């Protein structure tokens, strides 16, 4: 059976790797965190002692890591340690599910190819709930051939696997999507904060706006004002489905891309300032919809 290496068993990677084990696949997981290793072992996964040991003999290597510097370190090695690119057999397919910048995805994919390996960028959306339920969306950048090879594995982890284009296109799609989401969430939060000042009940605004021209995911399914959407973080003291600090990370990636590409995104610039302020105030762990609390203050 093809061995899969899964590197980064955190909030997303942990449940994803467990879903692969549940599907009967042979998975070697690695994460420096003891808690992450314990959880994976409990689910029947085999824990490798290092990145190199996980990648050895693995024809598929999946990464779900915090940021670009971690992905580079895992693939290329650091501090004299070998990286996964050094250990994986020729022809192995690397699937990077982390949210990183387009340049990192393109550079690593080119380096993989130069070494006789394959790599796609495959960032995901759907949050921890989607990772647990196996209902993630993957946006893939890479050749048709590599996309075709990765698809059956990604379909175990999600229900939408979309080919965005060549290397880096998945990363670009993820950054654009989350930039739009941040602006959309702030717009909805502003509407509900104004309604509150005008004495209009959140439930009434929801009933009207969710079927009118301002309807969108942030309003209909994730309403930032407590009340209208029972399952939304706003009704759970803003416990993070998607933490504000992660939204800030994605907005910073978006702003870097805006600058380097010569695009214009004034609303995203304001959104970045607002999430930076929230983070500085200690709200980084709260769900990103808690921007509503900031606007109500
Ligand atoms: P996380 O911080 O919970 O998990 C990352 C894991 O990587 C940690 O367990 C950490 O110990 C491990 N790690 C760090 N360096 C490592 C190394 N050198 N080798 C092996 N493991 C290492 O983060 P997460 O929430 O699982 O997110 C993973 C990626 O997915 C991020 O890029 C994030 O932006 C993206 N993402 C997250 C969500 C979400 O809702 N959490 C949704 C979509 C995308």
């Amino acid at each position: 059976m093809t061995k899969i290496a899964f590197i980064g068993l955190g909030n997303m990677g942990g449940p994803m790797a467990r879903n692969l084990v549940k599907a009967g696949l042979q998975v070697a997981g690695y994460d420096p965190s003891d808690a992450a290793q314990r959880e994976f072992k409990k689910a029947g996964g085999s824990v490798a002692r290092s990145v190199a040991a996980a990648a050895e003999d693995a024809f598929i290597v999946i990464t779900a890591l915090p940021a670009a510097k971690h992905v580079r370190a895992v693939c290329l090695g650091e501090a004299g340690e070998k990286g996964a690119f050094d250990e994986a057999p020729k022809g192995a397919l690397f699937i990077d599910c982390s949210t990183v910048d387009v340049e990192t995805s393109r550079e690593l994919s080119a380096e993989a190819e130069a070494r006789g390996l394959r790599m796609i960028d495959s960032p995901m959306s759907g949050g921890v709930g989607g990772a647990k339920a196996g209902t993630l969306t993957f946006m893939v950048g890479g050749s048709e051939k590599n996309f075709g090879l990765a698809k059956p594995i990604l379909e175990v982890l999600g229900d939408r696997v979309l080919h965005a284009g060549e290397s880096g296109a998945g990363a670009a799609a993820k950054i654009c999507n989350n930039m739009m989401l941040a602006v959309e969430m702030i717009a909805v939060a502003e509407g509900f904060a104004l309604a509150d000042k005008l004495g209009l009940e959140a439930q009434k605004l929801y009933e009207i706006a969710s079927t009118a021209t301002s309807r969108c995911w942030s309003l209909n399914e994730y309403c930032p004002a407590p009340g209208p959407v029972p399952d939304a973080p706003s009704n759970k003291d803003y416990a993070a489905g998607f933490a504000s600090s992660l939204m800030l990370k994605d907005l910073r990636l978006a702003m870097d891309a805006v600058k380097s590409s010569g695009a214009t995104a004034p609303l995203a610039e304001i959104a970045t300032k607002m999430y930076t302020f929230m983070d500085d105030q200690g709200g980084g762990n709260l769900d990103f919809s808690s921007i509503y609390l900031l606007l109500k203050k």
Side-chain angles (χ1 to χ4, degrees):
M1 194 195 300
T2 303
K3 180 181 136 187
I4 299 174
F6 206 114
I7 305 186
L9 305 168
N11 290 326
M12 296 294 285
M16 290 162 75
R18 294 199 291 275
N19 280 341
L20 292 173
V21 171
K22 236 188 264 169
L25 297 160
Q26 188 197 340
V27 188
Y30 176 72
D31 193 299
S33 145
D34 289 341
Q37 290 188 13
R38 259 198 315 276
E39 281 293 306
F40 187 56
K41 214 182 257 175
K42 218 162 59 187
S46 103
V47 175
R49 62 182 188 288
S50 65
V51 166
E56 210 177 42
D57 304 332
F59 277 93
I60 306 269
V61 180
I62 304 178
T63 41
L65 295 161
K69 66 175 181 188
H70 306 92
V71 182
R72 285 180 185 276
V74 161
C75 291
L76 305 173
E78 60 174 350
E81 299 244 325
K82 284 193 169 179
F85 279 6
D86 299 306
E87 289 301 312
K90 290 265 171 293
L93 172 67
F94 281 70
I95 302 176
D96 182 29
C97 299
S98 324
T99 304
V100 302
D101 58 289
V102 174
E103 288 72 29
T104 295
S105 294
R106 287 186 182 150
E107 282 170 27
L108 286 176
S109 158
E111 178 65 24
E113 211 157 295
R115 296 184 188 214
L117 303 164
R118 304 166 179 281
M119 185 163 192
I120 58 168
D121 41 298
S122 181
M124 51 201 170
S125 70
V128 176
K132 287 184 179 158
T135 56
L136 293 168
T137 293
F138 292 96
M139 39 213 111
V140 177
S143 67
E144 282 284 355
K145 164 115 192 171
N146 291 347
F147 173 69
L149 291 171
K151 199 162 180 255
I153 300 289
L154 293 175
E155 280 173 346
V156 176
L157 303 171
D159 47 20
R160 294 183 80 220
V161 182
L162 308 168
H163 192 201
E166 289 300 315
S167 177
K174 173 72 185 175
I175 289 167
C176 294
N177 181 71
N178 280 22
M179 185 178 93
M180 293 189 279
L181 174 62
V183 170
E184 181 189 274
M185 178 55 79
I186 293 172
V188 173
E190 284 185 359
F192 277 85
L194 174 62
D196 186 63
K197 293 268 187 249
L198 298 177
L200 172 64
E201 277 177 31
Q203 182 60 34
K204 287 289 167 210
L205 176 59
Y206 181 83
E207 281 166 22
I208 294 160
S210 64
T211 55
T213 43
S214 59
R215 68 183 180 270
C216 61
W217 182 86
S218 297
L219 195 162
N220 288 35
E221 292 172 50
Y222 214 85
C223 184
V229 178
D231 278 346
S234 53
N235 289 310
K236 297 171 186 164
D237 295 325
Y238 296 93
F242 183 47
S244 298
S245 58
L246 283 180
M247 177 52 93
L248 178 58
K249 172 197 147 189
D250 293 356
L251 278 168
R252 285 179 172 153
L253 287 176
M255 292 322 295
D256 286 346
V258 164
K259 280 191 199 105
S260 64
S261 66
T264 311
L267 295 181
E269 205 170 323
I270 295 172
T272 308
K273 284 189 185 142
M274 289 176 75
Y275 279 105
T276 301
F277 181 77
M278 262 192 67
D279 206 47
D280 291 347
Q281 300 292 304
N285 287 333
L286 292 180
D287 187 78
F288 82 114
S289 60
S290 65
I291 202 81
Y292 174 71
L293 299 180
L294 189 73
L295 291 163
K296 280 241 312 178
K297 264 190 197 164

